[in-house]
Amino acid sequence: MRLSAEVISLSEQRTNPLGEREIILRGLAIPAIEHLGATRDLFDTIDFADNRISRLENFPRLTRLSSLYLSGNSIESIDAKNLKVNVPNLTNLVLTDNRMTGLHEIG
């Protein structure tokens, strides 16, 4: 399923136990990160666990976002420059059970 503005608007949105605003995009077979501008930078946490994402890239400016949950995907590479510039407050990045073979994938 492609990540569209409609999928984002219909997804579960809640306040998590830490008091953070969170959107749940888990288990939707999303192949790529796109259209996140539709979140209007309203979330502290995005849960992309158990999808089909292969590259961590294409993030719009999301200054509020501090946590990304990406376990159970197929991530092979990360565009660190894009994350650093567009997600400057990212402090938690969960990449458990992906296809990365080493930290050199982050560069």
Side-chain angles (χ1 to χ4, degrees):
M1 169 183 305
R2 289 194 59 181
L3 183 58
S4 64
E6 181 181 11
V7 169
I8 290 169
S9 69
L10 295 175
S11 293
E12 180 183 355
Q13 301 172 17
R14 64 183 182 200
T15 301
N16 69 21
L18 298 174
E20 301 170 331
R21 290 294 303 151
E22 178 176 37
I23 185 167
I24 309 299
L25 298 167
R26 175 184 290 257
L28 299 176
I30 296 167
I33 294 173
E34 55 190 347
H35 305 292
L36 285 183
T39 66
R40 297 185 318 261
D41 199 20
L42 295 175
F43 300 98
D44 302 293
T45 301
I46 299 177
D47 185 348
F48 278 117
D50 302 322
N51 282 290
R52 295 184 183 156
I53 299 167
S54 62
R55 296 182 50 85
L56 195 52
E57 62 184 1
N58 198 28
F59 280 87
R61 186 83 171 149
L62 298 172
T63 56
R64 183 173 178 174
L65 185 61
S66 62
S67 298
L68 279 171
Y69 296 103
L70 292 147
S71 60
N73 279 280
S74 301
I75 296 172
E76 297 175 342
S77 66
I78 297 174
D79 184 348
K81 184 176 180 181
N82 173 258
L83 283 175
K84 182 178 179 181
V85 170
N86 291 327
V87 192
N89 295 314
L90 185 65
T91 56
N92 300 304
L93 179 60
V94 178
L95 295 168
T96 308
D97 195 24
N98 278 283
R99 294 187 179 165
M100 294 181 61
T101 58
L103 293 178
H104 67 282
E105 306 292 348
I106 295 173

